[in-house]
Amino acid sequence: MANLILSAAGAQHMMPPAWALLAYLIAGILFILALRGLSSPASSRRGNRAGMIGMLIAVATTMLLKAPVAPGQFLPSPTADDLVTLGQIVAAISVGAIIGLFTARRIAMTDMPQLVAAFHSLVGLAAVLVAAAAFLSPAAFGIVGADGHILPVSRVEMGLGSAIGAITFSGSVIAFLKLAGKMSGAPILLPLRHFINLGTLAAILGLVGYFTQDQAPWVFWTITILAFVIGFLLIIPIGGADMPVVVSMLNSYSGWAAAAMGFTLHNSAMIITGALVGSSGAILSYIMCRAMNRSFISVIAGGFGADASAGGGEAREQRPWKRGSAEDAAFLMQQAESVIIVPGYGMAVAQAQHALREMADMLKKEGVSVKYAIHPVAGRMPGHMNVLLAEANVPYDEVFELEDINAEFAQADVAFIIGANDVVNPAAKTDKSSPIYGMPVFDVDKAKTVFFVKRSMGGVGYAGVDNDVFYMDQTMMLLADAKKMCEEIVKAMAH
């Protein structure tokens, strides 16, 4: 009983004052409004602003709390040591802000997925470092009990936070390498991988439980090392086609790691923010898995396309196909009543979104109805295509999700596919042996005419399978760089 009383007293000592709790509550509300705003392209700017203001309030409040507060004081009275610490914090934030600003201004939109993965890795590493600091100096964090040992509940928070952070870090590093092309996007399947993964995860959970009874250093560091290892093992067998789900999943992990560290730091803003990021990332992962007709467990178990062949380059070359030109595309689209554009990662690589919007604008001047069809897993991260189209100032009311536009392909005169492959592959509906079988895809094969823009016939999608749309009677292959092809189509329309 005495231990409980002393623990409660310690927790009360760490409890922020009422004004700080109110500030954190306001910040939490702004974070919720940010997520709400980011749910639609039309309100995304407003959502970003709300999130930035909320984070400013949370950071400023946390910095003010660094100094001791005398009874009855609203604002703290910092000591000399506190001012030194605050100076160090400001210096660290300034360095991070400069790096972040420089990176944001220099990064190409095509590199955004790997940048997001890199940011997730930093969040995970930060969680590990905070957990390590709390373990090495528990008194500074107010997590020491009456017996001089770390409180059992704090050990659980510390162990889970470090484990989730380490998994996030190492998993994000692998995701970054795959997305950046520095590592093969194909699944890397290890022998007995499921047995190894389950055994490692069980060992981590068992050690976290044991950590509550024994705070020996070897227990904490073993948990952390095993978590780093399992992060690599979980992401390596996941193929490139599952990368959007992996990115959102790692985003969720980073949130839960931050929430766990929020408990250790007695920081309600971190708990709220981490919970929001963790839950929203988990929900997004679930939505994307549903869009692929796959379970979350099957994705994590590894290897979307693990058993797939690349489709065989020789077999593709032997099948008859028709090559079109920019003039063909310009003429037929100008004569059409409706054109549906399906963008994919190839558009991002070529930075063709501005030329594509110019092409669409010219078609609309001719009285042609133009719509954009966005698949939930198009690109390399959630919302990748939406971001690129928004950058090119494509009107939001012309952009439609899979379930809202798929039925319209049967009435469309032209389906213009630019840089997409797996999301329009009918093998997902017909070939049970295909690695993408069961994934909902666009019914482009029902359009009267299909123009398929890709660099060459030798390439395949990220899942590594051939596409029957290439060889349909109504398909014309436009083999060129996507941006160059759109520019040539615009020139042909102008004549």
Side-chain angles (χ1 to χ4, degrees), residues 300-399:
I300 301 306
F304 191 64
D307 301 321
S309 66
E314 296 180 1
R316 287 195 301 275
E317 296 300 327
Q318 291 174 359
R319 298 175 65 179
W321 53 277
K322 291 185 293 186
R323 182 165 190 163
S325 65
E327 290 74 19
D328 295 329
F331 176 78
L332 288 175
M333 285 195 289
Q334 283 177 312
Q335 304 305 311
E337 292 184 4
S338 64
V339 173
I340 301 178
I341 299 171
V342 183
Y345 187 65
M347 181 191 76
V349 172
Q351 286 287 281
Q353 60 269 25
H354 296 282
L356 180 66
R357 192 217 66 210
E358 185 179 359
M359 182 192 82
D361 288 345
M362 294 190 70
L363 287 174
K364 287 188 286 185
K365 288 180 181 179
E366 299 280 345
V368 180
S369 170
V370 178
K371 295 180 179 180
Y372 298 81
I374 308 297
H375 196 281
V377 294
R380 295 294 182 266
M381 73 174 186
H384 196 183
M385 296 300 104
N386 302 77
V387 171
L388 292 175
L389 295 179
E391 182 196 19
N393 295 318
V394 171
Y396 300 133
D397 58 0
E398 294 178 6
V399 181

XYZ file of all heavy atoms in Angstrom, residues 300-399:
738
model
N 1.191 -8.752 -44.112
C 2.323 -8.797 -43.187
C 3.026 -10.153 -43.258
O 4.243 -10.251 -43.075
C 1.849 -8.523 -41.751
C 1.184 -7.150 -41.700
C 3.003 -8.566 -40.776
C 2.035 -6.041 -42.228
N 2.245 -11.209 -43.534
C 2.851 -12.538 -43.632
C 3.863 -12.596 -44.760
O 4.744 -13.447 -44.770
C 1.774 -13.599 -43.828
N 3.718 -11.656 -45.730
C 4.820 -11.499 -46.674
C 4.554 -11.956 -48.072
O 3.965 -12.994 -48.328
N 4.990 -11.084 -49.005
C 5.158 -11.492 -50.376
C 3.972 -11.371 -51.288
O 3.467 -12.360 -51.787
N 3.514 -10.146 -51.543
C 2.507 -9.946 -52.583
C 3.205 -10.199 -53.901
O 4.066 -9.458 -54.326
C 1.981 -8.503 -52.520
C 0.769 -8.266 -53.352
C -0.406 -8.914 -53.050
C 0.798 -7.386 -54.412
C -1.541 -8.677 -53.790
C -0.330 -7.151 -55.148
C -1.502 -7.795 -54.844
N 2.834 -11.251 -54.578
C 3.537 -11.608 -55.794
C 4.746 -12.470 -55.539
O 5.623 -12.601 -56.376
N 4.802 -13.081 -54.380
C 5.988 -13.857 -54.025
C 6.203 -15.037 -54.943
O 7.317 -15.411 -55.249
C 5.855 -14.352 -52.590
N 5.093 -15.643 -55.408
C 5.230 -16.809 -56.254
C 4.989 -16.492 -57.721
O 4.838 -17.369 -58.553
C 4.219 -17.887 -55.827
C 4.431 -18.298 -54.386
O 5.602 -18.388 -53.988
O 3.432 -18.511 -53.675
N 4.904 -15.199 -58.012
C 4.570 -14.822 -59.390
C 5.787 -14.878 -60.280
O 6.890 -14.559 -59.919
C 3.980 -13.412 -59.407
N 5.567 -15.248 -61.498
C 6.587 -15.102 -62.510
C 6.472 -13.710 -63.070
O 5.491 -13.026 -62.932
C 6.381 -16.135 -63.618
O 5.189 -15.866 -64.293
N 7.468 -13.286 -63.740
C 7.446 -11.948 -64.315
C 6.589 -11.887 -65.551
O 6.431 -10.886 -66.177
C 8.863 -11.500 -64.620
N 6.010 -12.938 -65.917
C 5.150 -12.941 -67.078
C 5.872 -13.412 -68.315
O 5.252 -13.695 -69.334
N 7.197 -13.458 -68.268
C 7.949 -13.953 -69.397
C 8.057 -12.958 -70.522
O 7.123 -12.740 -71.278
N 9.189 -12.315 -70.667
C 9.356 -11.316 -71.705
C 9.160 -11.889 -73.092
O 8.565 -11.284 -73.961
N 9.649 -13.103 -73.352
C 9.512 -13.684 -74.681
C 8.052 -13.908 -75.033
O 7.612 -13.655 -76.144
C 10.283 -15.011 -74.750
C 11.796 -14.824 -74.566
C 12.517 -16.146 -74.631
O 11.848 -17.182 -74.831
O 13.744 -16.158 -74.492
N 7.274 -14.401 -74.086
C 5.861 -14.648 -74.346
C 5.150 -13.352 -74.710
O 4.304 -13.309 -75.577
C 5.211 -15.297 -73.138
N 5.521 -12.264 -74.067
C 4.874 -10.993 -74.354
C 5.195 -10.534 -75.756
O 4.328 -10.053 -76.486
C 5.327 -9.930 -73.348
C 4.734 -10.110 -71.976
C 4.921 -8.852 -71.156
N 6.335 -8.505 -71.005
C 7.113 -8.997 -70.081
N 6.656 -9.883 -69.223
N 8.376 -8.624 -69.991
N 6.431 -10.659 -76.179
C 6.821 -10.189 -77.491
C 6.176 -11.004 -78.609
O 6.001 -10.519 -79.702
C 8.358 -10.240 -77.628
C 9.090 -9.304 -76.676
C 8.702 -7.851 -76.886
O 8.418 -7.470 -78.034
O 8.649 -7.112 -75.906
N 5.819 -12.233 -78.340
C 5.239 -13.079 -79.374
C 3.752 -12.814 -79.569
O 3.185 -13.201 -80.588
C 5.448 -14.559 -79.003
C 6.919 -14.991 -79.089
C 7.113 -16.409 -78.573
O 6.162 -17.055 -78.135
N 8.345 -16.890 -78.613
N 3.096 -12.151 -78.645
C 1.672 -11.877 -78.767
C 1.459 -10.604 -79.591
O 2.192 -9.627 -79.456
C 1.045 -11.730 -77.375
C 1.151 -12.980 -76.533
C 0.629 -12.763 -75.126
N -0.808 -12.489 -75.107
C -1.501 -12.286 -73.986
N -0.886 -12.331 -72.820
N -2.788 -12.041 -74.048
N 0.461 -10.615 -80.455
C 0.229 -9.437 -81.309
C -0.324 -8.257 -80.510
O -1.154 -8.424 -79.625
C -0.803 -9.947 -82.325
C -1.498 -11.072 -81.638
C -0.482 -11.727 -80.757
N 0.140 -7.085 -80.829
C -0.349 -5.867 -80.199
C -0.252 -4.729 -81.203
O 0.471 -4.809 -82.195
C 0.450 -5.524 -78.933
C 1.940 -5.461 -79.122
C 2.812 -6.506 -79.122
C 2.723 -4.283 -79.377
N 4.102 -6.069 -79.343
C 4.069 -4.698 -79.496
C 2.431 -2.935 -79.498
C 5.104 -3.808 -79.752
C 3.454 -2.034 -79.749
C 4.782 -2.478 -79.862
N -0.994 -3.660 -80.964
C -1.051 -2.541 -81.891
C -0.367 -1.320 -81.278
O -0.616 -0.991 -80.130
C -2.503 -2.188 -82.229
C -3.205 -3.250 -83.075
C -4.594 -2.801 -83.496
C -5.524 -2.684 -82.312
N -6.922 -2.390 -82.731
N 0.456 -0.699 -82.091
C 1.140 0.516 -81.634
C 0.403 1.738 -82.175
O 0.082 1.806 -83.361
C 2.590 0.531 -82.091
C 3.364 1.745 -81.599
C 4.850 1.551 -81.745
N 5.594 2.601 -81.062
C 6.888 2.510 -80.760
N 7.560 1.407 -81.069
N 7.500 3.502 -80.146
N 0.122 2.677 -81.286
C -0.524 3.912 -81.689
C 0.446 5.075 -81.666
O 1.604 4.932 -81.269
N -0.023 6.230 -82.071
C 0.802 7.436 -82.087
C 0.074 8.558 -81.368
O -1.117 8.451 -81.041
C 1.095 7.856 -83.527
O -0.115 8.231 -84.189
N 0.798 9.636 -81.142
C 0.176 10.790 -80.510
C -0.953 11.336 -81.373
O -1.985 11.786 -80.851
C 1.235 11.873 -80.267
N -0.789 11.291 -82.674
C -1.829 11.763 -83.586
C -3.080 10.900 -83.483
O -4.207 11.425 -83.492
C -1.308 11.770 -85.024
C -0.249 12.825 -85.313
C 1.108 12.479 -84.714
O 1.339 11.274 -84.390
O 1.933 13.409 -84.529
N -2.893 9.572 -83.379
C -4.045 8.674 -83.210
C -4.809 9.025 -81.931
O -6.043 9.131 -81.925
C -3.581 7.216 -83.128
C -2.936 6.735 -84.416
O -3.333 7.221 -85.492
O -2.044 5.880 -84.333
N -4.069 9.202 -80.842
C -4.711 9.492 -79.563
C -5.419 10.842 -79.600
O -6.554 10.979 -79.107
C -3.663 9.475 -78.450
N -4.766 11.844 -80.182
C -5.378 13.171 -80.258
C -6.679 13.135 -81.050
O -7.703 13.692 -80.619
C -4.393 14.160 -80.884
N -6.661 12.479 -82.202
C -7.855 12.441 -83.062
C -9.013 11.719 -82.378
O -10.130 12.231 -82.322
C -7.515 11.759 -84.394
C -8.701 11.588 -85.287
C -9.211 12.645 -86.018
C -9.345 10.352 -85.402
C -10.327 12.493 -86.841
C -10.447 10.181 -86.210
C -10.938 11.266 -86.937
N -8.747 10.539 -81.863
C -9.833 9.744 -81.274
C -10.380 10.372 -79.997
O -11.588 10.313 -79.733
C -9.338 8.322 -81.001
C -9.132 7.446 -82.245
C -8.531 6.101 -81.868
C -10.451 7.251 -82.976
N -9.515 10.980 -79.188
C -10.009 11.596 -77.965
C -10.796 12.872 -78.258
O -11.753 13.201 -77.557
C -8.848 11.879 -77.005
C -8.324 10.610 -76.321
S -7.271 10.917 -74.875
C -5.807 11.571 -75.656
N -10.408 13.601 -79.306
C -11.168 14.791 -79.671
C -12.555 14.444 -80.202
O -13.489 15.232 -80.072
C -10.394 15.610 -80.707
C -9.241 16.415 -80.115
C -8.458 17.165 -81.174
O -8.071 16.600 -82.207
N -8.220 18.446 -80.936
N -12.682 13.247 -80.792
C -13.975 12.802 -81.304
C -14.834 12.150 -80.219
O -16.025 11.898 -80.434
C -13.766 11.780 -82.441
C -12.908 12.275 -83.595
C -13.429 13.566 -84.196
O -14.619 13.687 -84.495
N -12.535 14.542 -84.369
N -14.253 11.878 -79.075
C -14.961 11.152 -78.020
C -15.899 12.073 -77.253
O -15.769 13.302 -77.272
C -13.954 10.529 -77.052
N -16.872 11.447 -76.579
C -17.751 12.177 -75.669
C -17.236 12.110 -74.231
O -17.422 13.052 -73.462
C -19.176 11.610 -75.740
C -19.882 11.855 -77.065
C -21.322 11.364 -77.025
O -21.772 10.903 -75.946
O -21.983 11.434 -78.065
N -16.610 10.989 -73.889
C -16.096 10.835 -72.529
C -14.745 10.136 -72.546
O -14.551 9.148 -73.255
C -17.082 10.041 -71.665
O -17.223 8.732 -72.150
N -13.822 10.660 -71.737
C -12.475 10.087 -71.588
C -12.220 9.916 -70.094
O -12.423 10.848 -69.304
C -11.396 10.996 -72.201
C -9.998 10.456 -71.889
C -11.583 11.123 -73.702
N -11.782 8.720 -69.718
C -11.406 8.456 -68.321
C -9.907 8.209 -68.269
O -9.393 7.314 -68.962
C -12.162 7.256 -67.733
C -13.677 7.501 -67.780
C -11.719 6.997 -66.300
C -14.503 6.340 -67.257
N -9.214 8.999 -67.472
C -7.761 8.895 -67.348
C -7.424 8.098 -66.090
O -7.944 8.386 -65.006
C -7.126 10.292 -67.272
C -7.435 11.082 -68.549
C -5.614 10.187 -67.059
C -7.023 12.544 -68.466
N -6.555 7.091 -66.241
C -6.120 6.263 -65.112
C -4.624 6.478 -64.906
O -3.807 5.926 -65.634
C -6.418 4.772 -65.357
C -6.021 3.954 -64.125
C -7.871 4.543 -65.707
N -4.226 7.305 -63.931
C -2.792 7.537 -63.694
C -2.183 6.490 -62.774
O -2.871 5.891 -61.951
C -2.785 8.914 -63.024
C -4.086 8.968 -62.285
C -5.077 8.157 -63.086
N -0.874 6.289 -62.933
C -0.143 5.356 -62.089
C 1.249 5.883 -61.807
O 1.577 7.038 -62.108
N 2.081 5.016 -61.264
C 3.411 5.452 -60.838
C 4.259 5.944 -62.008
O 5.111 6.819 -61.835
C 4.127 4.304 -60.127
C 5.446 4.713 -59.506
C 5.480 5.634 -58.467
C 6.650 4.192 -59.959
C 6.679 6.024 -57.894
C 7.852 4.573 -59.391
C 7.871 5.483 -58.361
O 9.060 5.874 -57.797
N 4.001 5.404 -63.212
C 4.743 5.860 -64.381
C 4.543 7.343 -64.646
O 5.458 8.033 -65.115
N 3.354 7.850 -64.350
C 3.107 9.282 -64.485
C 3.973 10.062 -63.499
O 4.514 11.126 -63.820
C 1.633 9.589 -64.229
C 1.283 11.067 -64.383
S -0.369 11.508 -63.800
C -0.117 11.490 -62.011
N 4.100 9.519 -62.271
C 4.908 10.192 -61.256
C 6.376 10.215 -61.661
O 7.055 11.239 -61.518
C 4.735 9.490 -59.913
N 6.880 9.091 -62.160
C 8.285 9.004 -62.555
C 8.608 10.004 -63.651
O 9.651 10.666 -63.641
C 8.628 7.574 -63.023
C 10.026 7.523 -63.605
C 8.499 6.595 -61.863
N 7.686 10.153 -64.624
C 7.911 11.053 -65.750
C 7.555 12.501 -65.424
O 7.799 13.391 -66.237
C 7.089 10.580 -66.945
N 6.952 12.726 -64.226
C 6.473 14.063 -63.866
C 5.541 14.610 -64.951
O 5.664 15.748 -65.420
C 7.645 15.020 -63.652
C 8.410 14.784 -62.359
C 7.627 15.234 -61.133
O 7.550 16.393 -60.802
N 7.025 14.273 -60.459
N 4.592 13.762 -65.350
C 3.722 14.081 -66.480
C 2.413 14.728 -66.078
O 1.572 14.999 -66.940
C 3.434 12.799 -67.272
N 2.205 14.996 -64.793
C 0.891 15.463 -64.360
C 0.500 16.814 -64.955
O -0.668 17.042 -65.273
C 0.808 15.513 -62.829
C 1.806 16.422 -62.134
C 3.086 15.714 -61.763
O 3.464 14.721 -62.382
N 3.776 16.227 -60.752
N 1.466 17.712 -65.132
C 1.145 19.030 -65.692
C 0.795 18.924 -67.179
O -0.169 19.547 -67.640
C 2.318 19.985 -65.486
C 2.622 20.263 -64.049
N 1.878 21.144 -63.292
C 3.570 19.751 -63.226
C 2.373 21.185 -62.055
N 3.399 20.341 -61.991
N 1.565 18.130 -67.920
C 1.263 17.923 -69.335
C -0.070 17.190 -69.499
O -0.842 17.469 -70.422
C 2.387 17.128 -70.005
N -0.353 16.281 -68.581
C -1.620 15.543 -68.635
C -2.790 16.491 -68.390
O -3.817 16.409 -69.075
C -1.607 14.443 -67.573
C -2.859 13.573 -67.481
C -3.025 12.731 -68.736
C -2.801 12.664 -66.258
N -2.646 17.389 -67.426
C -3.728 18.339 -67.166
C -3.941 19.264 -68.364
O -5.075 19.607 -68.723
C -3.403 19.180 -65.939
C -4.591 19.983 -65.420
C -4.174 21.337 -64.909
N -3.681 22.156 -65.993
C -2.755 23.098 -65.865
N -2.211 23.329 -64.690
N -2.344 23.805 -66.886
N -2.849 19.672 -69.022
C -2.970 20.512 -70.225
C -3.724 19.769 -71.327
O -4.571 20.348 -72.010
C -1.584 20.925 -70.712
C -1.608 21.902 -71.874
C -0.213 22.324 -72.318
O 0.771 21.857 -71.705
O -0.123 23.100 -73.282
N -3.419 18.480 -71.480
C -4.137 17.657 -72.461
C -5.621 17.586 -72.118
O -6.489 17.741 -72.993
C -3.533 16.255 -72.489
C -4.157 15.311 -73.501
S -3.639 13.584 -73.247
C -4.773 13.093 -71.935
N -5.918 17.382 -70.843
C -7.315 17.304 -70.420
C -8.035 18.626 -70.637
O -9.212 18.646 -71.034
C -7.378 16.885 -68.957
N -7.347 19.737 -70.358
C -7.969 21.050 -70.557
C -8.336 21.266 -72.021
O -9.403 21.828 -72.329
C -7.026 22.153 -70.075
C -6.909 22.213 -68.555
O -7.762 21.598 -67.881
O -5.959 22.847 -68.062
N -7.473 20.840 -72.930
C -7.769 20.991 -74.357
C -8.955 20.126 -74.761
O -9.794 20.530 -75.574
C -6.535 20.645 -75.189
C -5.375 21.600 -74.992
S -4.035 21.357 -76.200
C -4.813 21.963 -77.698
N -9.043 18.925 -74.197
C -10.185 18.058 -74.494
C -11.482 18.679 -73.985
O -12.523 18.628 -74.659
C -9.975 16.680 -73.850
C -8.940 15.766 -74.506
C -8.733 14.507 -73.666
C -9.380 15.381 -75.916
N -11.442 19.286 -72.801
C -12.654 19.891 -72.246
C -13.113 21.079 -73.102
O -14.318 21.331 -73.223
C -12.401 20.328 -70.795
C -12.329 19.140 -69.831
C -12.263 19.588 -68.384
C -10.910 20.145 -68.038
N -10.801 20.475 -66.590
N -12.159 21.791 -73.693
C -12.523 22.883 -74.596
C -13.246 22.364 -75.833
O -14.033 23.089 -76.450
C -11.268 23.655 -75.009
C -10.670 24.500 -73.891
C -9.432 25.235 -74.357
C -8.818 26.059 -73.218
N -7.585 26.762 -73.644
N -12.960 21.104 -76.194
C -13.628 20.470 -77.336
C -14.983 19.876 -76.938
O -15.659 19.257 -77.752
C -12.738 19.349 -77.898
C -11.391 19.795 -78.410
C -11.463 20.405 -79.803
O -12.506 20.219 -80.466
O -10.496 21.057 -80.217
N -15.363 20.034 -75.675
C -16.643 19.510 -75.210
C -16.596 18.070 -74.728
O -17.642 17.437 -74.526
N -15.383 17.539 -74.527
C -15.218 16.154 -74.083
C -15.290 16.109 -72.554
O -14.691 16.941 -71.869
C -13.870 15.574 -74.566
C -13.709 14.129 -74.103
C -13.755 15.668 -76.081
N -16.012 15.143 -72.017
C -16.060 14.921 -70.575
C -14.794 14.184 -70.147
O -14.492 13.102 -70.670
C -17.296 14.101 -70.202
O -17.240 13.682 -68.858
N -14.051 14.751 -69.197
C -12.791 14.164 -68.735
C -12.890 13.883 -67.237
O -13.252 14.761 -66.458
C -11.595 15.084 -69.016
C -10.304 14.466 -68.483
C -11.465 15.365 -70.502
N -12.573 12.658 -66.859
C -12.548 12.276 -65.455
C -11.268 11.502 -65.166
O -10.695 10.870 -66.065
C -13.766 11.410 -65.099
C -15.106 12.146 -65.231
C -16.267 11.239 -64.859
C -17.594 11.977 -64.971
N -18.742 11.102 -64.609
N -10.840 11.546 -63.910
C -9.644 10.831 -63.475
C -10.062 9.719 -62.520
O -10.830 9.955 -61.579
C -8.662 11.769 -62.769
C -8.132 12.881 -63.637
C -8.884 14.035 -63.860
C -6.884 12.793 -64.230
C -8.405 15.066 -64.649
C -6.382 13.818 -65.020
C -7.159 14.953 -65.227
O -6.688 15.975 -66.017
N -9.539 8.520 -62.744
C -9.866 7.361 -61.910
C -8.644 7.010 -61.060
O -7.581 6.684 -61.606
C -10.272 6.177 -62.782
N -8.806 7.063 -59.735
C -7.685 6.833 -58.818
C -7.914 5.539 -58.051
O -8.911 5.385 -57.352
C -7.533 7.993 -57.815
C -7.472 9.332 -58.551
C -6.295 7.780 -56.954
C -6.277 9.462 -59.465
N -6.977 4.616 -58.167
C -7.045 3.367 -57.412
C -6.418 3.588 -56.036
O -5.424 4.320 -55.904
C -6.300 2.256 -58.156
C -6.624 0.881 -57.673
N -6.064 0.348 -56.531
C -7.457 -0.072 -58.162
C -6.530 -0.870 -56.343
N -7.378 -1.157 -57.321
N -6.973 2.960 -54.993
C -6.427 3.165 -53.638
C -4.957 2.817 -53.489
O -4.280 3.380 -52.623
C -7.299 2.251 -52.768
C -8.573 2.088 -53.523
C -8.190 2.122 -54.970
N -4.445 1.887 -54.298
C -3.046 1.497 -54.151
C -2.202 1.920 -55.349
O -1.120 1.391 -55.569
C -2.910 -0.025 -53.908
C -3.518 -0.413 -52.589
C -3.538 -0.823 -55.046
N -2.694 2.885 -56.132
C -1.886 3.397 -57.245
C -0.711 4.190 -56.687
O -0.858 4.954 -55.738
C -2.744 4.274 -58.154
N 0.458 4.011 -57.275
C 1.638 4.705 -56.786
C 2.347 3.918 -55.709
O 2.198 2.705 -55.587
N 3.105 4.627 -54.881
C 3.935 3.964 -53.885
C 3.557 4.318 -52.458
O 4.212 3.891 -51.519
C 5.410 4.318 -54.126
C 5.951 3.788 -55.444
C 5.988 2.265 -55.470
N 6.540 1.770 -56.720
C 5.824 1.429 -57.778
N 4.512 1.549 -57.740
N 6.400 0.979 -58.867
N 2.509 5.140 -52.300
C 2.021 5.445 -50.964
C 0.570 5.868 -51.070
O 0.105 6.237 -52.158
C 2.867 6.540 -50.298
C 2.636 7.929 -50.853
S 3.542 9.175 -49.916
C 2.928 10.668 -50.702
N -0.182 5.813 -49.986
C -1.587 6.221 -50.035
C -1.740 7.662 -50.507
O -1.050 8.565 -50.034
C -2.048 6.069 -48.576
C -1.087 5.093 -47.976
C 0.215 5.323 -48.657
N -2.640 7.874 -51.473
C -2.909 9.225 -51.947
C -1.860 9.804 -52.874
O -1.883 11.002 -53.178
N -0.940 8.974 -53.344
C 0.162 9.458 -54.183
C -0.356 10.172 -55.432
O 0.078 11.280 -55.767
C 1.063 8.280 -54.579
C 2.397 8.702 -55.105
N 3.334 7.812 -55.577
C 2.957 9.922 -55.248
C 4.406 8.467 -55.975
N 4.204 9.744 -55.783
N -1.318 9.545 -56.124
C -1.848 10.135 -57.354
C -2.646 11.398 -57.054
O -2.589 12.375 -57.813
C -2.725 9.123 -58.086
C -1.992 7.879 -58.583
S -0.647 8.244 -59.742
C 0.789 8.016 -58.704
N -3.387 11.395 -55.962
C -4.169 12.583 -55.598
C -3.261 13.784 -55.370
O -3.580 14.902 -55.780
C -4.982 12.318 -54.327
C -5.924 11.135 -54.475
O -5.489 9.979 -54.419
N -7.208 11.398 -54.649
N -2.114 13.551 -54.717
C -1.173 14.633 -54.447
C -0.617 15.195 -55.749
O -0.533 16.415 -55.943
C -0.022 14.134 -53.546
C 1.077 15.190 -53.440
C -0.541 13.799 -52.164
N -0.251 14.315 -56.684
C 0.317 14.768 -57.950
C -0.698 15.549 -58.775
O -0.368 16.580 -59.372
C 0.818 13.559 -58.751
C 2.025 12.818 -58.174
C 2.331 11.573 -58.991
C 3.239 13.726 -58.129
N -1.932 15.069 -58.826
C -2.973 15.772 -59.583
C -3.299 17.116 -58.930
O -3.550 18.106 -59.628
C -4.223 14.906 -59.690
C -4.067 13.607 -60.502
C -5.378 12.825 -60.522
C -3.612 13.899 -61.936
N -3.308 17.156 -57.603
C -3.551 18.426 -56.911
C -2.424 19.408 -57.202
O -2.667 20.610 -57.368
C -3.669 18.186 -55.406
N -1.185 18.913 -57.291
C -0.048 19.766 -57.621
C -0.224 20.384 -59.004
O 0.185 21.528 -59.247
C 1.248 18.942 -57.571
C 2.491 19.765 -57.867
C 3.695 18.911 -58.202
O 3.523 17.732 -58.555
O 4.813 19.439 -58.128
N -0.851 19.642 -59.917
C -1.082 20.132 -61.282
C -2.387 20.923 -61.402
O -2.802 21.257 -62.514
C -1.103 18.950 -62.250
N -3.027 21.201 -60.258
C -4.274 21.980 -60.220
C -5.418 21.319 -60.980
O -6.238 22.003 -61.605
C -4.031 23.396 -60.761
C -3.090 24.203 -59.890
O -3.186 24.158 -58.673
N -2.162 24.921 -60.512
N -5.467 20.009 -60.932
C -6.611 19.291 -61.496
C -7.805 19.508 -60.564
O -7.677 19.311 -59.351
C -6.310 17.785 -61.638
C -7.573 17.013 -62.019
C -5.216 17.566 -62.678
N -8.959 19.932 -61.085
C -10.132 20.168 -60.212
C -10.507 18.920 -59.420
O -10.525 17.808 -59.946
C -11.237 20.548 -61.214
C -10.502 21.078 -62.407
C -9.238 20.279 -62.497
N -10.820 19.121 -58.137
C -11.137 17.991 -57.268
C -12.362 17.224 -57.749
O -12.447 16.011 -57.569
C -11.372 18.479 -55.834
C -10.196 19.191 -55.218
C -10.357 20.403 -54.552
C -8.918 18.647 -55.298
C -9.267 21.060 -53.990
C -7.834 19.293 -54.736
C -8.008 20.498 -54.087
O -6.926 21.134 -53.536
N -13.322 17.933 -58.356
C -14.561 17.261 -58.754
C -14.401 16.403 -60.000
O -15.345 15.751 -60.435
C -15.689 18.277 -58.965
C -15.338 19.336 -60.009
O -14.221 19.290 -60.574
O -16.183 20.220 -60.264
N -13.195 16.381 -60.580
C -12.933 15.512 -61.726
C -12.215 14.230 -61.315
O -11.977 13.353 -62.148
C -12.088 16.247 -62.767
C -12.799 17.426 -63.420
C -11.921 18.154 -64.416
O -10.795 17.661 -64.677
O -12.339 19.203 -64.917
N -11.851 14.123 -60.036
C -11.085 12.982 -59.531
C -12.025 12.047 -58.773
O -12.724 12.471 -57.857
C -9.942 13.459 -58.616
C -9.138 12.263 -58.112
C -9.033 14.434 -59.356
